[in-house]
Amino acid sequence: MSNKEDFNWDNFETKGFGEGYSKEQKAQMEAMYAGTLNEITEKEVIKGVVVGVNDKDVIINIGFKSDGLVPLSEFRDVAGIKPGDEVEVFIEEQENALGQLILSRKKAKIVRAWQDIEDALENDNVIEGLVKRRTKGGLIVDIYGVEAFLPGSQIDVKPIRDFDIYVGKKMEVKVVKINHANDNVVVSHKVLIEKDLEKQKAEILNNLEKGQVLEGVIKNMTNFGVFIDLGGVDGLLHITDISWGRINHPEEVLQLDQKVQIVVLDFDDDKKRISLGMKQLTAHPWDSLASNLEVGSKVRGKIVNVADYGAFLELAPGVEGLIHVSEMSWSQHLRNPADFVKVGDEIDAVVLTLDKDERKMSLGIKQLTEDPWTKNDMGTKYAVGTKHKGVVRNLTNFGLFLELEEGIDGLVHVSDLSWTKKIKHPSEFVKVGDELEVAVLELDVDNRRLALGHKQLEENPWDTFENVFPVGSVHKCTVVSKNDKGAVLELPYGLEGFATIKNLEKADGSQVEAGESEDFKVTEFSKDDKRIVLSHTATFKEEAKPAKKEAKKKSETSSSTSAPAEKSTLGDLDALTQLKEQMEGKK
């Protein structure tokens, strides 16, 4: 028992953590532990080692006092993650509410991607990306997990018309712009191609010479020409230098991406603008014209252009002749060339002038038919007195031009339109395009002149009117118009007369007004001047003094014979009755 009493249980009692160490030992131990732990900062990327993997998480040691957990779903892009693998993670929290270290591989990838992108922009690095899809104006490229925009203009040095061919393919690009405000990245593949082309471009420009034949690829088309890629250097092939023939658009003979042989026509001192030609590689078609082609030759071709002044006939590609509108018809009235031909028509023509040195040619169509003025029957067909119908082609102040047939025109003077009406302008009688019947008054074949008349189709009624409207005879007349000098009267048979103001006075002192019909007495008749002067006042009031003794004498003579003259005239002038019916029918 004494032995038991001598045993001290205090030596075996459990004490608190670290209570068995002195201050010096504790300090030494803390220093030793501190050397094995890392000082970490939240919101930064750090490397860690996988120490365990379960169904939900990956346990990662970053050298902190506790391990961190990362969801296994964030390692989908890694095949067979296992302990010992080194990965980058983003520190979200050192300790959450449960005291757990929170890490994220997804955010680490994003942060690292932006760091790499910024580094690529700063150091002009080349990045390999994957084209994910096309979008408006370009492509979306995945670089380091960040979606970047590749504009269509930055895909290649030549225009790209089909963006879909790049989708799903890897492509090397360079970062050209970063917009941190909305996390946008713009990349370019074109800059890489341009660098490769610089040497080739410099070599081409240094060796460029006029007349040099090169091979190029058509990269762009416009309505004025095509741009050709000569291997990093662009040249313009103008539409007029594509073919010796006339073309309206380059697409008629060329295609995009087509390889073509061209010749250098010109370039400026800085060699920035290069003019190219294609037709110059073949001989000019004018040099291969038939030797027997001369003035008077009959040719056949296709109308390639119609202008206001004429049309161009293409005999062969690059060989054209002008058919002036005056050479399209024997008619003296020029019309629109479109009335005769249209683009695409294949027609015959006659060579009028030919200059092979200047490469100019004028042609005619009307020469294929006989000049109507030189026909043998011209003198008899249009003899004086013959009657014809024609179409009114032009009106002038002095008359109208009537086309009797193509190439045969005649003039109808305004005074030859009507026996009875005073026509100031032909437009009062006819209009352009109307058909008019005429009689030939004069024919001059040598000078190609034809005088025509319309009123000559009927006998001169004034020979009859002299007996119908003698001085002193009274007729019912209507005032057509009135002015300060007098009034214009409408007489029977469509004639016009005139009465002065003082001769319009009525018996009650008032005057005859426009539109009123009253009896008027003839005071003057002139067959040569086709003039009849009348008076209403004279029907009820005798004139004290006749204006002229001769007129008075004539009036007395006419008065003494007026009754029998009027009676005999109205009795046997059937022609006058017919004339009246014709005039009334025209109204």
Side-chain angles (χ1 to χ4, degrees):
M1 291 293 295
S2 60
N3 291 335
K4 291 180 181 181
E5 293 176 356
D6 294 337
F7 186 78
N8 188 358
W9 289 96
D10 293 338
N11 294 332
F12 295 94
E13 290 181 359
T14 303
K15 298 180 180 179
F17 180 76
E19 289 183 0
Y21 297 96
S22 63
K23 290 182 178 180
E24 291 76 10
Q25 289 175 321
K26 287 182 179 181
Q28 184 180 359
M29 188 171 289
E30 286 176 1
M32 184 174 59
Y33 272 105
T36 64
L37 298 174
N38 293 327
E39 290 186 6
I40 63 174
T41 305
E42 291 184 0
K43 312 304 179 186
E44 73 172 359
V45 177
I46 192 170
K47 287 186 177 182
V49 178
V50 176
V51 295
V53 180
N54 58 36
D55 294 341
K56 293 183 178 180
D57 302 306
V58 176
I59 305 166
I60 298 176
N61 179 16
I62 62 171
F64 193 51
K65 62 183 179 180
S66 62
D67 293 335
L69 297 178
V70 177
L72 183 60
S73 60
E74 295 190 14
F75 289 90
R76 288 176 181 173
D77 58 325
V78 179
I81 187 72
K82 62 185 182 300
D85 289 347
E86 188 176 75
V87 295
E88 285 189 333
V89 292
F90 179 78
I91 302 171
E92 293 198 66
E93 292 182 81
Q94 292 187 18
E95 286 185 67
N96 63 3
L98 301 176
Q100 181 67 51
L101 173 64
I102 305 301
L103 305 176
S104 172
R105 180 172 180 266
K106 182 179 179 181
K107 291 185 178 180
K109 288 174 64 178
I110 295 174
V111 172
R112 180 60 65 190
W114 280 101
Q115 290 175 352
D116 291 342
I117 290 171
E118 290 176 353
D119 182 64
L121 177 62
E122 184 177 350
N123 298 311
D124 200 28
N125 295 335
V126 178
I127 304 172
E128 186 177 76
L130 176 67
V131 179
K132 296 182 68 176
R133 63 183 183 277
R134 67 170 298 173
T135 187
K136 184 178 180 180
L139 300 170
I140 298 298
V141 182
D142 186 329
I143 52 173
Y144 303 128
V146 175
E147 291 189 347
F149 176 60
L150 174 60
S153 61
Q154 294 299 313
I155 297 176
D156 205 335
V157 291
K158 60 182 179 181
I160 301 299
R161 286 166 286 280
D162 184 10
F163 292 172
D164 292 330
I165 60 174
Y166 296 98
V167 176
K169 296 181 180 179
K170 291 183 178 180
M171 181 184 291
E172 288 187 335
V173 295
K174 278 191 175 183
V175 179
V176 294
K177 184 179 180 182
I178 298 176
N179 189 338
H180 293 281
N182 50 16
D183 292 340
N184 282 346
V185 181
V186 181
V187 295
S188 171
H189 177 66
K190 178 181 176 181
V191 294
L192 299 176
I193 300 175
E194 288 176 336
K195 280 193 172 182
D196 295 337
L197 293 175
E198 282 300 320
K199 292 182 180 179
Q200 186 177 350
K201 181 177 179 180
E203 184 178 348
I204 293 174
L205 291 176
N206 289 333
N207 298 325
L208 202 62
E209 296 178 359
K210 291 183 181 180
Q212 184 179 11
V213 178
L214 301 172
E215 184 178 75
V217 178
I218 297 175
K219 63 182 293 187
N220 193 20
M221 279 192 179
T222 67
N223 58 354
F224 59 84
V226 298
F227 289 94
I228 297 181
D229 182 2
L230 304 175
V233 181
D234 289 349
L236 174 62
L237 173 61
H238 197 271
I239 188 171
T240 57
D241 291 313
I242 294 176
S243 169
W244 290 115
R246 187 189 294 262
I247 59 176
N248 297 315
H249 196 281
E251 64 187 7
E252 295 177 13
V253 292
L254 299 173
Q255 300 176 23
L256 287 171
D257 300 325
Q258 179 183 348
K259 284 187 178 181
V260 291
Q261 292 284 330
I262 38 80
V263 61
V264 178
L265 301 181
D266 198 9
F267 54 87
D268 59 15
D269 295 336
D270 296 331
K271 299 178 181 178
K272 292 179 180 178
R273 294 183 181 179
I274 304 173
S275 298
L276 306 172
M278 182 180 289
K279 69 181 184 182
Q280 289 78 5
L281 295 174
T282 59
H284 198 291
W286 270 89
D287 299 332
S288 57
L289 283 178
S291 58
N292 60 351
L293 185 67
E294 58 187 14
V295 173
S297 297
K298 183 179 177 181
V299 294
R300 186 170 181 82
K302 181 174 70 174
I303 299 294
V304 292
N305 189 31
V306 178
D308 293 338
Y309 52 86
F312 288 90
L313 187 72
E314 184 182 61
L315 307 185
V319 180
E320 296 178 6
L322 172 64
I323 308 174
H324 193 269
V325 65
S326 63
E327 303 298 340
M328 292 183 175
S329 168
W330 289 111
S331 175
Q332 297 177 15
H333 301 287
L334 298 184
R335 302 202 292 270
N336 192 315
D339 295 339
F340 299 96
V341 294
K342 63 180 183 296
V343 173
D345 286 350
E346 291 191 8
I347 62 171
D348 294 325
V350 175
V351 178
L352 303 181
T353 64
L354 179 64
D355 189 337
K356 292 186 178 181
D357 294 331
E358 293 293 328
R359 293 171 178 169
K360 292 181 179 179
M361 183 189 311
S362 62
L363 306 170
I365 300 176
K366 70 182 184 182
Q367 288 77 10
L368 296 170
T369 58
E370 185 181 358
D371 182 353
W373 280 95
T374 61
K375 291 182 179 179
N376 295 330
D377 63 345
M378 184 68 187
T380 55
K381 185 177 182 180
Y382 295 104
V384 174
T386 56
K387 297 178 181 180
H388 306 272
K389 285 185 179 180
V391 179
V392 178
R393 291 298 185 192
N394 192 23
L395 301 178
T396 68
N397 291 330
F398 54 84
L400 61 90
F401 287 95
L402 196 72
E403 186 177 53
L404 303 180
E405 64 175 275
E406 185 178 333
I408 302 296
D409 293 354
L411 172 65
V412 182
H413 195 272
V414 66
S415 63
D416 289 317
L417 289 174
S418 174
W419 288 112
T420 57
K421 292 184 179 180
K422 292 183 179 180
I423 300 172
K424 296 180 181 179
H425 192 277
S427 59
E428 300 173 11
F429 193 82
V430 292
K431 61 180 182 292
V432 174
D434 284 352
E435 189 177 67
L436 189 68
E437 190 174 2
V438 292
V440 177
L441 304 181
E442 182 184 348
L443 174 64
D444 186 347
V445 177
D446 294 335
N447 294 310
R448 297 176 180 247
R449 291 177 182 174
L450 192 62
L452 307 171
H454 175 68
K455 70 182 184 180
Q456 286 78 7
L457 295 172
E458 301 170 350
E459 294 183 4
N460 186 354
W462 283 90
D463 294 336
T464 303
F465 292 154
E466 187 174 19
N467 296 322
V468 178
F469 299 98
V471 173
S473 60
V474 177
H475 307 273
K476 181 72 79 173
C477 303
T478 302
V479 177
V480 177
S481 62
K482 183 180 178 182
N483 56 32
D484 295 340
K485 295 181 179 179
V488 176
L489 309 176
E490 182 181 1
L491 281 71
Y493 310 109
L495 290 178
E496 286 185 354
F498 182 76
T500 60
I501 288 292
K502 67 178 183 178
N503 286 306
L504 294 174
E505 185 179 346
K506 296 181 180 179
D508 60 2
S510 63
Q511 286 201 332
V512 183
E513 300 296 337
E516 293 182 355
S517 297
E518 296 288 351
D519 286 336
F520 281 81
K521 181 183 286 188
V522 177
T523 60
E524 183 181 346
F525 181 92
S526 174
K527 181 177 72 172
D528 296 335
D529 296 332
K530 300 179 179 61
R531 184 177 71 250
I532 304 176
V533 181
L534 305 101
S535 172
H536 172 66
T537 307
T539 60
F540 61 87
K541 183 178 180 182
E542 293 294 333
E543 294 187 22
K545 293 182 180 180
K548 294 181 181 178
K549 292 182 179 180
E550 185 179 347
K552 181 178 179 181
K553 183 178 180 181
K554 186 176 181 180
S555 176
E556 290 175 350
T557 305
S558 300
S559 297
S560 63
T561 60
S562 60
E566 184 175 355
K567 183 177 180 181
S568 62
T569 301
L570 294 176
D572 36 52
L573 289 181
D574 293 337
L576 186 60
T577 303
Q578 294 176 5
L579 174 62
K580 180 179 180 181
E581 292 176 353
Q582 292 175 7
M583 290 180 174
E584 289 177 348
K586 288 184 179 180
K587 292 181 180 180

